[in-house]
Amino acid sequence: MSISLFILISCTFFSGCYPEGPTYYEEFDVVYTNYKKDYSFKDKKLFTMPDKIVRITGNIGQGQPPVFISEPYNTQIINRIKSNMIAKGYTFTADTTIADFEILTAAIEVENYQVGYWYDYYYPWYYPGYGGGWYYPYPVVSSYTTGSIGINMVERKNTSPNNQNAVVWLSIINGLVEGSNIDFSNRIDKCIDQAYTQSPILNQ
Amino acid sequence: MKRIYLIILFCISINCVNAQRNIFNLNYSVAFPLSDANDFISKTSWRGANLSMLHYLEPGIAVGVETGWNAFYDNVGYTTITDGTQALSGTQYRYGSCVPVLFNLNYYLMPDEVINPFVSLGVGTMYSRSDIDMGMYRARFETWHFALKPELGLQYETGATSGINFSAKYFHAFKTNELKETRNYLSLNLGFYWKY
């Protein structure tokens, strides 16, 4: 009797205290930023950026045109980056020859698959006289899509001897490409804002 | 099924004939993280259990082994971690598990009384696993610590060979090369003992 009571109490405690994990899509969002060490952003206020965001598909051949992400997300992301840059004290210019920085943005989507095995149990009363048991396991396939947005702030004026421009600040935003359109748009805005919030180095 | 009960009853009867030379303890455990473990996860753990098997060298002294498990968890919320020029933000969940494996020396102060206080010292190792989940990523730190465990407790005899345990254990798991943090915690334990 005491063992049964102990098991009952244990099950109650253990089931009630099972640790939680992420519940909402936004809880899977992460924002990473990094910048060039010892680089000074002061007094370099002009930035430019293309009006299209490249979508990295991984299957474009040499010489083929790039693929861009669809609207309304393209314009939404560009406008959000611009507004954050302006809030930090920068000025947008369409003239790439006078800009101190160019903001290059790219996005990627990855489909992830998981294969698990599921077991069904049959109770003794299903087949009287045979007792309970397990059915053969069968595979269950689930999938989820993850997406990343990479924002690169490239210095335009000081090119290296081999004509390459240095990335002086970058952000990678990663999360699940799931949920309603409104929720997804809000999450994108929130993550772009966070990238600039956690980068006080950009303040003019 | 009836036959199984009869066999169990028979085994118990045989044991009752002999003097009880061994004791088995099974406890439910609540743990309070301390020092570095508290910095990692400050929440009380309500998930834990431990068991021990000891052999009486004489009525008031027993030696044996102990193991158990205490699981810690905390939803830290949305946080930003910075490291040099890098910063990472996201909703952070933390999980910790501690599994001690110890050799115990128990000293019972009043072995012939209904209420029998005892002190115990355990020496051995503790496996600890500390997980930090952020987004779809997990950072895991696993290690084996050298561990010590002083314990104070009470046994309350409810039958000739069984009773109730209550004890407080302090686990001190030292820093390791892999994890430069201690995994110390205080646990309160309530359960049963059987002598056989």
Side-chain angles (χ1 to χ4, degrees), chain B residues 107-132:
Chain B
Y107 178 67
Y108 298 91
L109 276 70
M110 293 187 278
D112 299 324
E113 303 296 325
V114 173
I115 295 175
N116 181 14
F118 66 92
V119 291
S120 171
L121 180 66
V123 181
T125 184
M126 182 195 284
Y127 165 77
S128 82
R129 190 170 75 187
S130 310
D131 289 336
I132 301 174

Side-chain angles (χ1 to χ4, degrees), chain B residues 29-35 37-39 41-47 70-72 166-171 183-189:
Chain B
S29 177
V30 176
F32 306 91
L34 303 168
S35 59
N38 185 273
D39 293 339
I41 293 174
S42 58
K43 272 189 178 173
T44 301
S45 159
W46 296 93
R47 292 187 307 144
N70 288 93
F72 301 88
F166 176 73
S167 75
K169 305 181 188 199
Y170 169 68
F171 289 94
R183 283 290 176 263
N184 304 343
Y185 59 93
L186 178 74
S187 73
L188 296 178
N189 310 280

Side-chain angles (χ1 to χ4, degrees), chain A residues 49-50 52-54 77-78 81 103-107 149-152:
Chain A
M49 63 188 297
K52 295 279 186 193
I53 295 172
V54 174
I77 293 168
I78 286 169
I81 292 169
I103 309 285
L104 299 172
T105 309
I149 301 169
I151 307 168
N152 295 282

Side-chain angles (χ1 to χ4, degrees), chain B residues 106-179:
Chain B
N106 283 21
Y107 178 67
Y108 298 91
L109 276 70
M110 293 187 278
D112 299 324
E113 303 296 325
V114 173
I115 295 175
N116 181 14
F118 66 92
V119 291
S120 171
L121 180 66
V123 181
T125 184
M126 182 195 284
Y127 165 77
S128 82
R129 190 170 75 187
S130 310
D131 289 336
I132 301 174
D133 284 12
M134 239 175 149
M136 282 162 288
Y137 306 97
R138 167 169 285 180
R140 171 165 287 177
F141 309 93
E142 287 178 293
T143 191
W144 287 89
H145 305 258
F146 173 67
L148 290 174
K149 180 225 62 177
E151 177 183 2
L152 286 172
L154 281 175
Q155 285 184 337
Y156 178 71
E157 192 177 278
T158 55
T161 59
S162 62
I164 294 167
N165 276 324
F166 176 73
S167 75
K169 305 181 188 199
Y170 169 68
F171 289 94
H172 190 101
F174 291 83
K175 294 176 185 177
T176 68
N177 288 333
E178 293 83 23
L179 186 69

Side-chain angles (χ1 to χ4, degrees), chain B residues 8 12 17 47 49 56 61 72 91-92 96 100 104 108 130 140 150 154 157 160 191:
Chain B
I8 293 170
I12 291 170
V17 171
R47 292 187 307 144
Y56 284 105
I61 298 176
F72 301 88
T91 303
Q92 207 181 110
N104 277 3
Y108 298 91
S130 310
R140 171 165 287 177
L154 281 175
E157 192 177 278

